[in-house]
Amino acid sequence: MPGFTVVFAQTASSFDVFLTKLIDGLALGSIYAILALGFVIIFKSTQVLSFAHGAVAAVGAYLAAYFVTTINWPGRYFESLPATLSFIISALVAVVVAAGVGMVIERLFIRPMIGEPMFSIAMITIGIDIILRTFVGDLIGQGGVLSVGSPWGILSLSTWSGIIVPHVFIAVIITAIAVVIALILFFRTRIGVAMRATAFDQEAAMAQGISAGKIFALAWALGAVLAAIGGIFSSISPRGFGVTGGTAFFALRAFPAIIIGGLDSIAGAVVGGFVIGVSEIMLGHYLANFSGTLGLGFTGLIPYLLMMGFLLVRPYGLFGTEEIRRV
Amino acid sequence: MRGRPLLYVDYNKEQSLFPTIAQKVLLAIGALIAISVPFGLVPGFKFLASPGWLQLLVIALIFMIGAAGLNIVTGMAGQISLGHAFFMGIGAYTTAALSGSSTEALWGMELPMWFGVIVGGLVAAGLGILIAPTAVRVRGLYLAIVTLGLVFIGQHLFRNWNQVAGIAELGRNWGPFQLSLWDIDGPTLDLATDGEWFGFFLPGQGKAYLFMLVVAALFLLLAKNLARTRIGRSFAAIRDRDIAAEVMGVNEAKAKTQAFAISSFYAGVAGGLYATFLGFLPPEQWSLFLSVQFIAIVLIGGAGTVIGVVLGTLFVQLLPRLVENFTGFLSDQIADGTWLAPIADIVIKTGSGDFGVLSLDAQGAGLSIFQANTVLYGLLIAVFLIFEPLGLYGIWLKVRNYWKGWPFTY
């Protein structure tokens, strides 16, 4: 959004720019937090680090874009339906389908690998990632972009005394808060408690009559749902310009978020997501003068560089449990 | 002791590179066949003497060097690295800066290829040493993610450092693929143009093949030998249980640094040779996909074994050609209307309105041949890990052990 920045850089005070960028960063952080939550839920309950997360996000985003743009569903049946509502319905359907994709992945590829080394399973998810990414890339078409539409309008901005905020940013921040609250409530339900018990000690949970297989499937479905939500929001303008081959790579940037938060910490995922999001936007804005030296698109590197520096200081992240190893 | 090939009465003998006579004989036969390929002498392998196949085989040999490098760090030392493409890119661009031709926009010192490739390997090894402390600090999956970040940082660097890598999405030229002592104008061994060697007329790819055969054999032998040295044993100890290894007196930091350095050297050399052989590559070449290709090679072949690297590379590199031939075969079936035509029609997409999984033109729905290969890589990684974690080497072990005791089960 270079044009966007220039407009108010001339008119607004530097503090207003700071606040605008802060909200921008929080919005990006919300997307990262949602994606990171999906990673962590899968990792905590099944001990699998899913490299396929980005691809699942791309699948979700593609499905939403397909419903909204390609076949205009459900908008073509109800002409009076507002675009925003139509988009939300399409997105919900896409998310549900993505949950199914997650469960299929778990059933076909992850279930046979229970008890195998973590590394092998992580490599399998890399295989799944390639497969899904290729199919999505093929469906979008070569070098193509499939728009998700702009449900909250491209230019609908709210202005409070110089702070300019696109409505999408507010929508994604609200979604992130809703997701966090929903998860907190979910982990208090019967199934949620069963999931926590399985994550804590699989055998003990099974001895209590909890079906570990069902919990695994549920965890993957939940992870895929979160991935899809993140993928959809990452392709709405002005954040992204639609679903592209790069959508999956965008979601991979949530890896730094979970590393900073700690691989097995739900709270860490949220904190890590916001840390990465805000610092990416802030550093990107205040280092923009140096983009000649740093190169085009250097903001995409900020999460990875932050992660590398952070790992050397705290190898298990902010809230991650330190691995206790036996000889 | 005759007739009992597995009875060792001498420790040195058991530790030798090829302990049994059968292995020596098989190796000799394999080497003879490999050498004779460009001459088209051995029946059954004559079709390989065409420039197209030789090109494929040269790339396979170069990939073997790279895969042997990844095998050292991942298979032998147990450190998961997704950053292999990054080290290959570093090697390739060091080679380009040293042996490429210079223009106004590009750096190039026009030095001989061997110098560029070796320095490329050394620079990559130096970067590997810089990365190694991270591997000491973080373990397992954390390391995989750090090395994943490395690939993205490398991509950014290559896309933006236009003097070295050329313009993004376009790329640059490398120096000529030839051997010369120092003077680039008068090559001692010209590997790029057609000519006569040993009384046979060879295409340029044939010469390059023979040269790469020697280089790859050297690197693979070194990798195999590494496993039985003190360094190689320390790698295995670190892989199997790093704390226990430290208790036994293996210096963990030192071993991991050595593993990353050696592996990156292999990667750098492979990257330099690959780019020089192809002559022109865009900066996007050194992407995550290349890393995944190498992981696929190591996992499909069998992690930790050098023979697995050879089998895996041949399998992964020849797979695209097989898919291509298979697609051609199926579309011929449709054209001829044989009994296979209905099945082939489902698989192949012929026109724009036709349904099919594979499409012959790159446009529209239906996977192109490249995409089909990508999907196959992914599937093969998953299938091998689920059903045969030891890869092709594991399959070979099973077959061998079955016939060893035949007709008894053990």
Side-chain angles (χ1 to χ4, degrees):
Chain A
M1 336 165 272
F4 187 61
T5 319
V6 170
V7 171
F8 59 85
Q10 291 161 348
T11 53
S13 74
S14 64
F15 186 65
D16 287 344
V17 174
F18 173 80
L19 281 181
T20 311
K21 286 288 157 190
L22 184 68
I23 293 173
D24 190 351
L26 286 176
L28 181 62
S30 306
I31 301 179
Y32 285 153
I34 293 170
L35 289 165
L37 275 171
F39 271 118
V40 170
I41 286 176
I42 292 179
F43 182 77
K44 253 195 112 128
S45 38
T46 65
Q47 307 297 313
V48 174
L49 184 71
S50 170
F51 283 92
H53 209 67
V56 175
V59 169
Y62 169 75
L63 287 169
Y66 179 76
F67 287 134
V68 171
T69 308
T70 315
I71 61 171
N72 185 23
W73 182 93
R76 64 171 164 183
Y77 301 115
F78 310 98
E79 301 222 330
S80 57
L81 198 69
T84 314
L85 197 61
S86 169
F87 169 83
I88 290 176
I89 294 170
S90 308
L92 282 178
V93 176
V95 160
V96 170
V97 179
V101 171
M103 284 163 88
V104 169
I105 293 174
E106 193 274 334
R107 186 69 236 193
L108 281 184
F109 295 103
I110 309 298
R111 195 71 69 85
M113 293 297 286
I114 289 178
E116 299 285 328
M118 242 186 215
F119 167 58
S120 307
I121 310 181
M123 289 297 116
I124 287 190
T125 60
I126 287 188
I128 302 163
D129 172 70
I130 308 178
I131 299 171
L132 288 181
R133 220 151 22 86
T134 315
F135 275 112
V136 171
D138 182 51
L139 289 170
I140 297 171
Q142 279 205 330
V145 181
L146 196 57
S147 167
V148 207
S150 36
W152 285 278
I154 305 172
L155 294 171
S156 58
L157 312 166
S158 289
T159 314
W160 300 291
S161 65
I163 310 162
I164 304 167
V165 182
H167 288 178
V168 192
F169 289 0
I170 302 169
V172 67
I173 293 174
I174 291 172
T175 311
I177 295 170
V179 160
V180 170
I181 292 174
L183 279 178
I184 291 173
L185 292 178
F186 168 75
F187 281 122
R188 283 161 194 271
T189 61
R190 207 178 153 76
I191 306 169
V193 170
M195 195 177 226
R196 274 157 59 198
T198 316
F200 189 72
D201 188 336
Q202 233 176 74
E203 275 181 28
M206 281 166 82
Q208 303 299 317
I210 297 168
S211 161
K214 275 182 193 158
I215 296 295
F216 278 25
L218 185 67
W220 272 84
L222 213 55
V225 163
L226 294 172
I229 295 175
I232 292 168
F233 271 112
S234 75
S235 23
I236 298 175
S237 81
R239 184 69 64 214
F241 299 100
V243 190
T244 63
T247 306
F249 288 115
F250 178 88
L252 280 189
R253 273 195 255 155
F255 265 132
I258 54 169
I259 294 284
I260 287 181
L263 260 184
D264 55 356
S265 161
I266 301 249
V270 178
V271 173
F274 281 111
V275 167
I276 292 284
V278 171
S279 42
E280 186 181 328
I281 295 289
M282 287 291 178
L283 287 174
H285 177 67
Y286 287 106
L287 294 178
N289 291 338
F290 302 102
S291 67
T293 357
L294 295 170
L296 217 60
F298 72 96
T299 46
L301 286 189
I302 292 171
Y304 291 108
L305 292 173
L306 270 180
M307 168 187 81
M308 286 185 174
F310 200 85
L311 270 181
L312 291 176
V313 186
R314 274 190 76 95
Y316 294 98
L318 279 174
F319 304 103
T321 39
E322 205 160 316
E323 190 189 354
I324 298 162
R325 297 175 309 143
R326 275 186 288 184
V327 180
Chain B
M1 300 302 155
R2 284 181 59 180
R4 302 186 63 180
L6 291 183
L7 177 69
Y8 298 106
V9 288
D10 181 5
Y11 185 69
N12 280 330
K13 185 120 178 128
E14 200 247 336
Q15 281 291 301
S16 63
L17 273 177
F18 303 101
T20 63
I21 294 171
Q23 277 179 348
K24 282 176 187 148
V25 171
L26 278 178
L27 184 77
I29 294 173
L32 271 179
I33 292 176
I35 291 171
S36 71
V37 158
F39 305 110
L41 291 175
V42 181
F45 292 96
K46 277 183 182 168
F47 68 99
L48 288 175
S50 69
W53 275 101
L54 285 171
Q55 168 105 3
L56 208 62
L57 288 173
V58 174
I59 293 173
L61 286 170
I62 295 171
F63 266 54
M64 262 177 217
I65 299 176
L70 185 65
N71 190 39
I72 286 169
V73 79
T74 302
M76 283 166 70
Q79 306 301 307
I80 309 161
S81 171
L82 291 175
H84 216 56
F86 168 74
F87 293 116
M88 281 185 78
I90 292 290
Y93 287 118
T94 311
T95 309
L98 287 174
S99 73
S101 54
S102 82
T103 60
E104 279 169 28
L106 289 172
W107 294 354
M109 293 167 73
E110 307 194 356
L111 295 171
M113 179 185 84
W114 64 267
F115 183 73
V117 167
I118 290 176
V119 175
L122 290 176
V123 170
L127 277 169
I129 291 172
L130 282 183
I131 298 303
T134 328
V136 180
R137 193 93 169 103
V138 299
R139 292 195 160 74
L141 296 171
Y142 282 89
L143 182 63
I145 297 174
V146 171
T147 50
L148 175 80
L150 217 53
V151 174
F152 289 113
I153 290 173
Q155 284 260 286
H156 180 76
L157 187 70
F158 301 148
R159 284 177 67 93
N160 286 290
W161 200 355
N162 293 343
Q163 292 95 329
V164 167
I167 299 161
E169 285 166 22
L170 202 67
R172 71 164 289 166
N173 270 315
W174 267 261
F177 195 73
Q178 65 184 21
L179 276 185
S180 55
L181 207 57
W182 196 250
D183 188 8
I184 200 165
D185 294 322
T188 320
L189 275 181
D190 190 358
L191 302 165
T193 47
D194 305 355
E196 202 162 297
W197 269 18
F198 314 116
F200 286 90
F201 179 79
L202 286 178
Q205 287 90 345
K207 292 176 172 181
Y209 171 82
L210 287 177
F211 167 69
M212 277 316 303
L213 196 64
V214 175
V215 177
L218 191 71
F219 272 88
L220 289 176
L221 270 180
L222 281 175
K224 193 162 167 60
N225 193 49
L226 183 69
R228 59 188 198 124
T229 60
R230 186 187 174 89
I231 297 175
R233 284 195 295 273
S234 73
F235 288 175
I238 291 288
R239 172 193 61 198
D240 292 340
R241 187 67 80 182
D242 47 4
I243 294 182
E246 275 197 288
V247 171
M248 291 191 303
V250 175
N251 186 339
E252 186 195 0
K254 194 176 155 196
K256 283 182 177 172
T257 310
Q258 282 167 336
F260 265 94
I262 298 171
S263 151
S264 308
F265 179 75
Y266 272 64
V269 167
L273 286 170
Y274 181 60
T276 313
F277 178 65
L278 291 181
F280 194 95
L281 283 174
E284 283 73 19
Q285 174 66 34
W286 318 103
S287 65
L288 184 61
F289 179 69
L290 191 68
S291 287
V292 171
Q293 238 181 332
F294 278 101
I295 288 173
I297 288 175
V298 169
L299 290 180
I300 289 172
T305 59
V306 173
I307 185 71
V309 167
V310 176
L311 294 175
T313 316
L314 288 178
F315 189 80
V316 166
Q317 283 296 312
L318 300 185
L319 188 71
R321 189 63 186 250
L322 290 179
V323 172
E324 205 175 313
N325 285 359
F326 180 66
T327 323
F329 169 75
L330 285 183
S331 52
D332 285 349
Q333 297 295 312
I334 297 176
D336 297 346
T338 57
W339 60 275
L340 269 172
I343 305 167
D345 193 36
I346 298 173
V347 181
I348 303 278
K349 182 183 149 184
T350 44
S352 58
D354 190 27
F355 171 81
V357 183
L358 287 168
S359 105
L360 296 177
D361 48 349
Q363 302 299 316
L367 300 172
S368 66
I369 287 172
F370 173 74
Q371 287 171 323
N373 281 315
T374 316
V375 169
L376 271 179
Y377 287 146
L379 262 184
L380 282 170
I381 293 179
V383 165
F384 266 100
L385 277 170
I386 293 174
F387 297 108
E388 189 53 72
L390 281 175
L392 292 170
Y393 177 68
I395 293 178
W396 156 242
L397 277 186
K398 272 185 186 162
V399 171
R400 193 185 70 184
N401 289 343
Y402 176 80
W403 287 108
K404 220 180 222 175
W406 191 84
F408 306 105
T409 42
Y410 57 88

